[in-house]
Amino acid sequence: MAAAGSCVARRVEELGDLAQAHIQQLSEAAGEDDHFLIRASAALEKLKLLCGEEKKCSNPSNLLELYTQAILDMTYFEENKLVDEDFPEDSSQKVKELITFLSEPEILVKENNMYPKHCDLLGDELLECLSWRRGALLYMYCHSLTKRREWLTRKSGLLKEYLVDGISYLLQMLNYRCPTQLDEGVSFQDLDTAKLLSEGIFSDIHLLAMMYSGEMCYWGLKHCADQQLENQGVDAGVSGASCTTHREPLDFREVGEKILKKYVSVCEGPLKEQEWNTTNAKQILNFFQHRSNS
């Protein structure tokens, strides 16, 4: 365990130094202090101190958590800039870079293979957050691309890669935690909450992930139905998703229909008083139905 902790400490310290240098560049380019960059830098400074204390290095979980929190803050700053600028034409490299940063904590744990389940190190919430951030980033990027007719005409195959990767991250996020099993030994005062937990829905973010993935399936079927992924299962693609997931064939209609039917059922069932909008989801389901009948 101590050897594993020392190995993680060395690698995380290296990655932390690279991230700290990147944050310095971002701060200088911004020309002003930013809350997220300041917080990320502080986490990395604390990480540096812990890596210098030999006995602390036997606990890789603490180090990984600090590094992960820093990466989440640093990339959030950059994502906001991309969104504010509506993803300029040359954004693909920056998107790939952000996906790579957000993949590092998970990759590091898997490389060291210290536990049967890597969630023992990072925890379900951080793993969900990393997958959510990658999937949501690709959702926002793809949304921007679908509004550019000329881009779609020339690069629909590339869009399909982004969509498959983004959907994979969102589905991964939804599957980290197992649905709560409702039985006689579990008592709930709120039956609607019990129903949500039994469906594996633990927060509003889970609902957004369902809607986002369903919408991305719609874009895939509408814009990329005839496109094939190049080097499927091998190529990292522009988004680099194969760093953490093995790309498998994805049926946009089947996946989208399943996830959106569940979304509508939950929003009009246990969450009917919360006024979640299902109009777009129903329109997409109607589109899927017409495509399956054509």
Side-chain angles (χ1 to χ4, degrees):
M1 179 67 170
S6 178
C7 179
V8 171
R10 287 195 300 271
R11 183 58 180 149
V12 171
E13 186 173 20
E14 292 172 1
L15 292 172
D17 287 343
L18 291 174
Q20 191 71 278
H22 189 65
I23 289 172
Q24 182 65 30
Q25 292 176 346
L26 293 174
S27 297
E28 291 175 357
E32 60 182 359
D33 293 334
D34 177 84
H35 169 72
F36 292 102
L37 293 182
I38 292 172
R39 195 164 67 176
S41 183
L44 292 174
E45 288 174 5
K46 184 176 180 180
L47 173 66
K48 188 83 170 177
L49 288 174
L50 288 178
C51 288
E53 300 175 17
E54 186 175 348
K55 59 183 180 181
K56 292 284 187 180
C57 293
S58 62
N59 189 346
S61 183
N62 289 346
L63 305 180
L64 278 168
E65 183 174 345
L66 276 171
Y67 175 69
T68 301
Q69 291 293 351
I71 291 302
L72 288 170
D73 282 334
M74 181 187 78
T75 53
Y76 190 69
F77 169 83
E78 295 195 86
E79 284 176 31
N80 284 339
K81 191 170 186 296
L82 285 174
V83 172
D84 289 344
E85 297 172 353
D86 195 23
F87 291 92
E89 287 292 333
D90 58 350
S91 295
S92 62
Q93 188 59 38
K94 174 55 68 176
V95 170
K96 180 178 179 181
E97 180 182 288
L98 293 178
I99 294 291
T100 299
F101 271 123
L102 289 164
S103 298
E104 283 291 355
E106 193 176 350
I107 293 172
L108 180 59
V109 175
K110 289 181 177 180
E111 283 179 348
N112 284 274
N113 196 27
M114 292 168 289
Y115 292 90
K117 289 181 63 179
H118 52 277
C119 62
D120 291 337
L121 269 183
L122 279 176
D124 288 331
E125 290 189 8
L126 278 178
L127 286 169
E128 281 185 354
C129 191
L130 289 167
S131 292
W132 160 251
R133 287 282 301 280
R134 287 173 286 182
L137 172 60
L138 288 171
Y139 167 84
M140 292 184 289
Y141 187 36
C142 289
H143 181 265
S144 176
L145 295 178
T146 57
K147 295 184 292 184
R148 302 172 187 178
R149 182 170 300 179
E150 183 181 349
W151 197 98
L152 288 174
T153 301
R154 294 183 288 111
K155 300 182 178 180
S156 59
L158 194 57
L159 175 64
K160 186 170 185 176
E161 290 186 9
Y162 290 127
L163 291 170
V164 170
D165 288 347
I167 293 166
S168 297
Y169 284 129
L170 292 174
L171 296 181
Q172 184 182 52
M173 178 258 182
L174 290 168
N175 289 323
Y176 271 122
R177 281 187 272 184
C178 296
T180 301
Q181 297 298 315
L182 305 182
D183 54 43
E184 294 180 358
V186 181
S187 176
F188 287 95
Q189 292 182 337
D190 187 337
L191 293 179
D192 285 339
T193 298
K195 175 65 175 175
L196 291 172
L197 297 178
S198 71
E199 294 283 358
I201 299 169
F202 300 93
S203 71
D204 289 355
I205 299 299
H206 287 79
L207 281 172
L208 285 175
M210 293 167 68
M211 189 63 228
Y212 281 7
S213 55
E215 198 167 358
M216 293 173 86
C217 286
Y218 164 71
W219 295 333
L221 199 59
K222 181 178 181 180
H223 299 296
C224 322
D226 300 325
Q227 296 297 327
Q228 297 295 320
L229 289 176
E230 297 180 5
N231 302 320
Q232 189 160 330
V234 178
D235 181 25
V238 177
S239 71
S242 65
C243 291
T244 54
T245 59
H246 179 73
R247 182 179 282 132
E248 299 287 350
L250 191 151
D251 186 322
F252 288 124
R253 189 190 66 78
E254 180 182 352
V255 172
E257 196 168 56
K258 180 179 179 181
I259 201 80
L260 288 181
K261 281 182 177 178
K262 183 176 179 180
Y263 172 84
V264 172
S265 174
V266 168
C267 291
E268 297 186 349
L271 291 174
K272 59 181 178 295
E273 302 300 328
Q274 302 299 319
E275 298 183 353
W276 280 81
N277 194 315
T278 59
T279 301
N280 191 31
K282 288 180 176 178
Q283 290 175 344
I284 294 174
L285 285 169
N286 188 52
F287 174 83
F288 288 151
Q289 187 61 39
H290 278 88
R291 287 298 290 257
S292 66
N293 293 334
S294 61

